[in-house]
Amino acid sequence: TNKESMKALVYGGRQKQLPMPRASKGEVVVKIMAACVNPVDAKFVFGDKLPEGMMGFARRCVKGKIPGFDFSGVDEDGRDVFGTVPPFRGTLCEYQRVPRDQVNAKPTSLSFAEAAALPLTGLTCLQSMQDVGAHVLVIGATGGVGSYATQFAKRVRAVDRVVGVCGPTGADFAKDHGCDCVVDYSQDWQAALRREADEHGPFSFVLDTVTSAAKKDSKWNYSAFFFDVDVDV
């Protein structure tokens, strides 16, 4: 394209006119057709999952920068592609330069919107869920990563039994996304997981997408529970 500038959204909800990106060696410029916003993009604004005291620092890090990691679009060669960009580069813009090893051909079965929703959460599952065994527990089963993890466990890893922990309104969603059993964290989840382990054997793999340094997450103390009871992790 011969454009000299492009539209972009930056942290703070403002639209800005920014210079067109120019590809460096090993990069390609992509016309963004769809972009995905993940919880990680909000961490720098709301401090979610970050220790208290880092709020100001986090906001300064992203001031004036473009949010977003995931995208789908059309590259310089006219190919439909999807992928992720490095931190602080952003995808909520018309064009972006992308390392060639972070972009791939978009599956023809996916729309641009569907493809843009896949990379970050999908890669998290792919990289973390290698040898998972037959009895998998996903904590945060209705979240961005969790809802992919339950499907990945069931449909890709062919796990016999998938158990998901989520809130009281998420049970049907979790079951639709691969969970054989759903545990409500607002009830006595410890007792429910003990019963699950007694009836179906120890968990072979636990994916905890919730625990962090934030007080609202650490109060659940999932990790301490698993180290205190007879559950393999």
Side-chain angles (χ1 to χ4, degrees):
T1 179
N2 295 321
K3 292 178 64 175
E4 294 298 323
S5 64
M6 66 170 183
K7 295 177 182 177
L9 289 177
V10 299
Y11 279 99
R14 303 189 313 278
Q15 180 175 294
K16 294 184 69 175
Q17 204 74 18
L18 296 176
M20 278 288 295
R22 305 299 178 194
S24 300
K25 185 178 180 180
E27 295 181 333
V28 62
V29 172
V30 174
K31 180 179 180 180
I32 305 294
M33 303 299 292
C36 178
V37 176
N38 291 288
V40 66
D41 298 301
K43 295 184 192 308
F44 299 101
V45 179
F46 300 107
D48 180 44
K49 308 291 185 184
L50 296 176
E52 291 185 13
M54 290 191 65
M55 176 74 77
F57 173 75
R59 285 180 174 172
R60 288 193 297 274
C61 284
V62 299
K63 185 177 180 180
K65 290 184 169 60
I66 305 170
F69 287 85
D70 296 344
F71 71 90
S72 64
V74 181
D75 70 9
E76 297 165 328
D77 298 321
R79 296 189 311 154
D80 292 348
V81 296
F82 76 132
T84 62
V85 299
F88 305 124
R89 191 169 293 186
T91 56
L92 298 189
C93 50
E94 292 185 284
Y95 296 86
Q96 190 53 277
R97 57 188 179 93
V98 185
R100 290 187 179 275
D101 61 0
Q102 290 184 223
V103 63
N104 209 333
K106 179 182 76 65
T108 56
S109 60
L110 298 181
S111 67
F112 281 112
E114 290 169 335
L118 181 61
L120 200 60
T121 48
L123 281 171
T124 300
C125 296
L126 182 64
Q127 292 171 348
S128 62
M129 302 180 72
Q130 296 295 317
D131 183 14
V132 297
H135 194 193
V136 167
L137 173 65
V138 178
I139 301 172
T142 55
V145 172
S147 60
Y148 274 103
T150 54
Q151 297 176 80
F152 189 82
K154 203 69 179 176
R155 299 173 186 175
V156 178
R157 296 298 185 227
V159 172
D160 291 338
R161 187 168 176 83
V162 179
V163 180
V165 176
C166 63
T169 62
D172 289 341
F173 180 87
K175 289 178 180 178
D176 287 343
H177 286 71
C179 288
D180 299 289
C181 172
V182 179
V183 174
D184 181 353
Y185 67 70
S186 68
Q187 302 299 318
D188 191 353
W189 59 269
Q190 296 98 329
L193 291 181
R194 286 191 176 95
R195 286 194 300 271
E196 174 70 22
D198 289 341
E199 294 174 10
H200 299 278
F203 292 106
S204 55
F205 181 86
V206 177
L207 180 64
D208 181 0
T209 71
V210 174
T211 300
S212 74
K215 285 185 177 180
K216 66 178 181 179
D217 292 334
S218 59
K219 71 177 181 179
W220 299 105
N221 211 14
Y222 289 115
S223 58
F225 168 77
F226 285 110
F227 284 113
D228 287 343
V229 299
D230 185 21
V231 179
D232 291 344
V233 293

